[in-house]
Structure formats: C-alpha cells, structure tokens
Amino acid sequence: MRLKTLSLTLLACLGASGAAQAASSTSSDPVADSPAIEHRVDAMLDKLTLAQKVDLIGGEDNMFIRAEPAIGLPRLRMSDGPFGVRSVGTSTAYMAGVGLAASWDPALARRVGEAMGRDARARGVNFLLGPGANIHRAPQNGRNMEYYSEDPFLAGSMAVGFIDGIQSQGVVATIKHFVANNSEYDRRHLDTLIDERTLREIYLPAFEMAVKDAHVGAVMSSYNLVNGDYLSENHAISHDILKQDWGFKGIFMSDWGAAHDGVKAFDAGLDLEMPSAEAMSPQRLLPLLKDGKLSQDVLNDKVRRILRTAVRFGFLDRPQQDLSIPLFNLDNDAVALQSAREGLVLLKNAHHVLPLDASKIRTIAVIGPNAFPAISSAGGSSHVDTFEAQSVLTGITHQLGDKVRVLYSRGLPSPDEVFKQSSFVSPTGGKGLLRQTFANADFQGKPGTTSTDEHVDQWKPELWTTPATQRQSIRWSGSFVPAHSGKYLFLTAAASLDTYRLLVDGNPVITQPQREGQAPLYVTLDLVAGKPVSIRLDYKPDVSYSRMGLGVIALDDLISPDARKMAAMADAAVVAVGFDPTSESEAFDRTFQLPWGQEALIEAVAAVNKKTIVTVNSGDAYATDGWLDQVPALLQSWYPGQEGGRAIAEVLFGAHTPEGKLPVSFDREWKDNPTHDFYDAPPHPAGTNPTVKYGEGVFLGYRWYTTYPHKPQPLFAFGYGLSYTTFSFSKLSVSPAVAKVGDTITVSFDVSNTGSRDGAEVAQVYVGDPSARVARPARELKAFRKVRLKPGQTKHVSLTLDRRAFAYYDVGKHGWQVDPGRFTIYVGDASNHTPLATDLTMGKTR
Ligand code: BGC
C-alpha cells in the first residue's frame, strides 16, 4: 500500500476532520515498508564493514548524509525548511507555519507541502528539514513563526497535511524540534522540567500524529534537555516513546551540533548526528563496538533506518534532481499566494472600515518599516531568499493600478540611519566618540589602539559566525549633548555572541548578555537641553571585527515629517509594522513590545488619519495597549511568504474576504499568560544547566483561559478571526446519543453564511470533560472543518471523535484513559464563542 493512501485512511478513521481532505496521489509517493524492502536493506547492510556503517551515522558538509558507493547509496542532500527550500540558493517562500495554521486548512498545508516537495526535487534535495511542530507556549519564543499553534491537535493536523504533501513528491519530511523546544533563549542549555501528563497531552501529540498518521520519514531532536537529558540522548523519549511506543521506523537525527555524549546518544536512539560525527565519531565508537561495549545490533538498526528510508523514497533508483521543474515556479507562486490569503487574520474592523472601497479613495498612505521591502520570512534557518517578493507597498500599488495614488514613507529611520545621524562629543571636545581597542577580552591594561569614530555604525545583523581566535574588547567614550529637552531613544545593536554594556552618566542602561543571537536593544531617557550626558559603551565582539551600532535620537525626531504629512493627506493609511529577521529569529527570544518607535509611529499616523489600518508581522502576540484603541483595524499578517503583499492588498480592498483564525491566544498583557511565572529560567549555579519547570501543566493558552473565566481573558481568543460576511451555527446533534467508552462519536451541525459575501468559516469542535477524575481544561479542540459558503448558503458538517478525543493521559496507568460520565460538546467559531453545546453521556457499557 502506498504510504500516502494509508495515512489518509488513518486520518479519516482518527477523525482528524479537516486534515482528511485528500489531494491526488503522485508517482513519487514513498513505498511503505515491506518484506521486499527489508530484504534489500539487509543485503546492503551485509556488504558494509563496521567502519563503513559508523561512517554513515554522521553527516558531512553541513547538509549531507554520506554516499556509500559500495552499496549504490548516493550522497543525500538536506535543506531547511520549513517554509521554503532555503539551503540551495533562491527559492519560493510560503506563509510561515503559524500563518499556515491560521488557515485551519490541512488540505492547504498539503498543497504547500507538495509545492515545496517540487521545489526540493528541482534542487536535488532528499530531506526537507520541516515542518516545525513545537507548541507555542509564550509569545516571546523567537521561533514561534516556524511552529503552528498552542494546540496540539491543530498543530498535528497541519503537520500531517504538510508532511503528506512533501513526501508525496519523493522527499523526506523531517519534523522538528523533538521536543519541548518552546523558547529560544539559551536553547542549547535549557533543561525543561515537564510532568508526564503534560508532555503526553500537550507537547508530544503533534509529533505522534506525524509519526502514526503521516509516517514522517525523519525526526530532528531539539537542542534543549527534557527532565535532565538532552533530547539527542533522552532514552525515555526518543527510544521508549518515539521508537517503541509509536513504532517510528525512520531516522532520528540530531539538530546541528545538538549531540553531546556520543555513547549516551548511541544508546538512546540517535540514528544520525548532524552536521557531522563529533559526538558519535568513529574514534569514539569503533573501539567500543569492537570490544562489545556498544551493541552492533544497535548500530545495524541505525544504518537500516537510513538505508530503509533511502530505498522507500526511491533514492537508489532515480536521480533526486528533476531538472524539468522550473526553479522560479509560477505554479508554486500561486500556492504561496493561497497560503498567504488563507492565513491572514483580521483582528479588528471597527465600523466596517474594511474592506476599503477603491472607488471612493483617491490617495492612500502606506507607512512603516515593514511596508517595504517585503518581510516574507523571519530570521534564522527558516529565512528564505526569494526571486521576487511582494511587499505591502508593491502589493497595494499593483492591486490599485492607476486608480488610486499610493504614497509611501518608511516612517521611521532604519537602525543604520539612527547610527549615522547621531552626533557625539569626544573627551577632547571634537566630533565623535573615543575608541579604545584592547588586545584582550576584558579591557585590561592599556589600549592597543586609540582613535576617534564619528559614528558607531558598523552594525551587521549576522547570526552564525566563526569566533575570533584572538579576543579583543572595544570601549567608546565621550558625551551626547541634547539639542532640546525631552525623551531620547538610545539604540544599540551588535550580532550573534557579541556582548556589550552601555553606560549613560555612569549608569548601565542597556546590557546585552552572551547569547547565540540578538536583536537591537533600546532605552528611552529624559534629557535636558544643553546638558551633556556621558556615554561609555563597552563592547566585546565574538569575531575579529566590530559589528556595533549606537545611536541617540530625540523621540520627537523619530517619526518622519513626510509620513505625518502623507497620512494627513490620504483618505486612508496603512501602517505596516512588526518584527523582521533581525528582531524575531531562531537563536534568541524577542520582546512582547513591538520594536522601537513603532507604537509611536502608529499613534502619529492615527492622530491625523481616522482610517488607519495596522498590519503586523510577528510569530505570535504582542503588546497593543496604548495604540489599538486609536486605530479602527488590525490585520495580523505573520510572515506571509513571497506573495504576502498581494494577499494583504486583496484583503484590504475586498478582493478576498479574510478567513484566517488565530491558532494561538493573543494575550492582552504578557502577565496574563499562564506561563508568565514559568518562562524565564531562574539564576543557576555556574556549571549547571538553567532549568524551567512547566508549572502551568496542561493549562496552556485557551485551555487556561476557558478554565478560569474569572481571570483576565485574552485580547483575541484562540480560534478568533473576523470576516466580511457573517455565519451562524445550528442543528447540533451527536450520535450515538447513548454511548459507551470507546465509541466513535459523530458530531453534526449546520453552518450558514448569513451575510452578503462569499466567505469561509472554521467550525471548531471542543470537548469538555467535567466528570473526569483529574482536573482537565474546560475545553479542548478535538475536530474542526473549514467551510466555504456563498451568501445564504448552508452546509451540513459531520465530524467524528474517536476514543482519544475524550481521553486524558493517566500517569498511574501510563496510558490514555476515558472516565465514563458526562462530556460536553461545544461547536463554534472561537474557543470562547461556541453558540452550540450539548451533553453526551458515556457509560462503561451502552
Ligand atoms: C536549526 C534547525 C535547522 C538546522 C540546519 C539548526 O540551527 O535549529 O532547525 O534545521 O540548524 O540549518
């Protein structure tokens, strides 16, 4: 049986509702495991020496599994992932994972997977390093955009669709990062302490669905530890759960440099160390294997997994690169556009300000740092370089043609402009800051060189660089003289593992600790006209050159006067703000607040234009207090891929009715988030790992908010999103009405379009289990279906709930438990808005 067919059948049985919207099969589908394949694998294995086998379990040249000519195994190429084939030059960028999940459309995820599979085949890629299926736990996680949702069922359903799509093209999908990698700060050291039930109910299921339902070919470990063991060495998780419990037959690979103790990793189930054999090196493993201290059977199992995957996916029988597939691909561009369209979420639309009527608008102002160039993807290994990408500015301009005048201003200076515009006074009274460079890491002794820098403007937002062998430290000193009294922005930026500290009048005001990556930092200080403040910046680069930027600018001078004038002249203004690859990325966390200056920009535009629409790029929620009340509309655009600008323009002007729904809760304030007290690792003794206890347990996101309605509620709930039309739900029925534990329950209802435009609604089915013996969230998402409806049209929806939909994880029995009793089935369009509800009683017997 073709694997894809099997997975779709399973999905239907499992009631993975929306996920089971089939797409057609193609000839490259991987072949399911069979005795013939195992026979072929055994024959290959027999031909390999011990040394050849050990060689196979470590990668090479950053992105390859080694070739083994003795058995006809070609070199196998990998590429990031997860929303574009990034590692082989320029490619198509699709909507980021969180935005794809906002479509609540696993069939779309499948189409994106298929398109990306074709992009991979065009470039000779065997393994695509995606999808990312970690759970959104807190908005600051720098990698949230790569991950789908705070809800495991939605995340798993999207992952299954995406994996099916990729693998249907003869490309191995690699689900990552297994598991509980829910923050980026100190990701290589953080030990996450999670109880068994929480791990099973929240953090594992998306991976479990990928393994059991989509037969994902590879799983990538995360960098962090869980309950004391790195994931590359975590026997209890990667061996006992992934391989034994779930029956995973593919390759479990390390994240890049995530393996530490080679022997422990070898025994715990790591099959492939990437990007090369450092921990599981031949020098370390071969003597132990020869002495019998490590098992050759275990080694054979790892090699078998690599060979089995290569055979199943046809890598031994056809060239992986298909030169007939265009690299710049219009079919895939259309998929990218659809992924952007379906993922945009309209969060606010007061007085129906949207859609804008192009026939009534003569001038529109497009303002903001994220208006141009396009912010199609964020930072880190998921960033995709595109052939061309539509920005908000170009998207709107193309959409309107010559009917409307589109005025554009960045609105805020770029960091480089701030650095270059800032003027300092050196200790000798000249222009600039005194620069002292020390030939050691700690400003010891006399500086080796001394000079004056008019500006500190060498910022290069690099992420991964080679550390300098010869350490140096650089100190800038001097003063800044404010031209007028008021608030001033102090902006600093360096890169990767650089550290620095800025002192103003002797007080440390900004400190950048050593981190794998970093975003620009800022502070606002009140200064008095003509009264100099002393500046000292102590910078320790990780590389042999400076990447430091320092700027001081009056807040009053921050917003471009042109932007204010354009906003005042225009009939409507679009302010495009949010994060970008330098401020939201793999390897570091971001702020809850929008980046510097953006709130002031929104307020400045809103002050002169009543029709101000804000679009935000981000991977999760952000602070809105102070500005959201001042604008009538907010459109969440995530990282929308190369066609984002076009999709945004279509939504703003009504060519497309928004249909995205939040796959995460948008907290009103960070302190309302249930993980607030459990997110940052407390101080820890030197030489030990920082630890974080997931104290909120299973009560994450909407599970928390719906269970504790008297606590502060989210600004925008999980599942929420506006449309230009309206929908209603009716006629809920559940069968069988008298059920017994283990029955598959069918939930049926009608969804109607009661408005005057075509539109799509996402029907969401939540289950509550008030009579369980353990405390359970008031509601949990267990099925959903996206329904497209014409005005006045009604569709009947039937979804099934299997045993697991009613179960919790029983830590006493180490298994899934359904307690007989009363359950409530809720149906609606958001986690906090379920107009239909009915009770269902499940007995031990019927
Ligand atoms: C990331 C992975 C990525 C790998 C290869 C690592 O830093 O965590 O997600 O696939 O690099 O680029």
Side-chain angles (χ1 to χ4, degrees), residues 63 80 129 143 176-177 187 220 223 255-256 381 464 586:
M63 280 284 163
D80 284 307
L129 303 178
R143 272 188 119 159
K176 65 190 188 183
H177 305 87
R187 62 176 175 164
M220 185 194 293
Y223 282 119
D255 198 345
W256 273 227
S381 60
W464 294 295
E586 170 178 354

Side-chain angles (χ1 to χ4, degrees), residues 687-710:
T688 64
N689 287 91
T691 55
V692 141
K693 189 168 188 293
Y694 284 21
E696 73 284 0
V698 297
F699 295 91
L700 184 71
Y702 76 87
R703 285 170 162 74
W704 163 267
Y705 287 122
T706 58
T707 306
Y708 300 105
H710 55 284

Side-chain angles (χ1 to χ4, degrees), residues 358-436:
S359 67
K360 297 204 178 109
I361 287 182
R362 261 172 297 160
T363 306
I364 187 164
V366 178
I367 294 169
N370 293 38
F372 181 84
I375 308 291
S376 54
S377 51
S381 60
S382 69
H383 184 81
V384 182
D385 285 330
T386 56
F387 287 99
E388 59 181 20
Q390 287 290 350
S391 64
V392 176
L393 172 66
T394 57
I396 289 179
T397 307
H398 285 303
Q399 173 79 18
L400 298 176
D402 51 11
K403 292 195 285 284
V404 175
R405 208 168 19 199
V406 183
L407 309 178
Y408 162 68
S409 163
R410 193 177 190 281
L412 291 170
S414 68
D416 274 334
E417 283 164 347
V418 174
F419 303 147
K420 288 202 163 57
Q421 277 167 23
S422 303
S423 50
F424 301 102
V425 182
S426 82
T428 55
K431 265 187 163 186
L433 291 171
L434 178 73
R435 173 194 181 122
Q436 297 171 302

Side-chain angles (χ1 to χ4, degrees), residues 4-28:
K4 184 193 63 38
T5 319
L6 175 66
S7 74
L8 285 172
T9 314
L10 270 175
L11 269 176
C13 299
L14 285 166
S17 55
Q21 298 170 34
S24 62
S25 153
T26 68
S27 59
S28 299

Side-chain angles (χ1 to χ4, degrees), residues 739-742 769-773 803 806 808 813 817-823 840-845:
K740 76 172 187 356
V741 169
D769 181 9
S771 53
R773 279 183 293 126
R803 181 182 190 278
F806 298 93
Y808 63 88
K813 293 203 300 204
Q817 168 70 21
V818 181
D819 289 343
R822 183 166 64 87
F823 293 84
L840 164 80
T841 302
M842 278 197 188
K844 278 197 186 126
T845 54

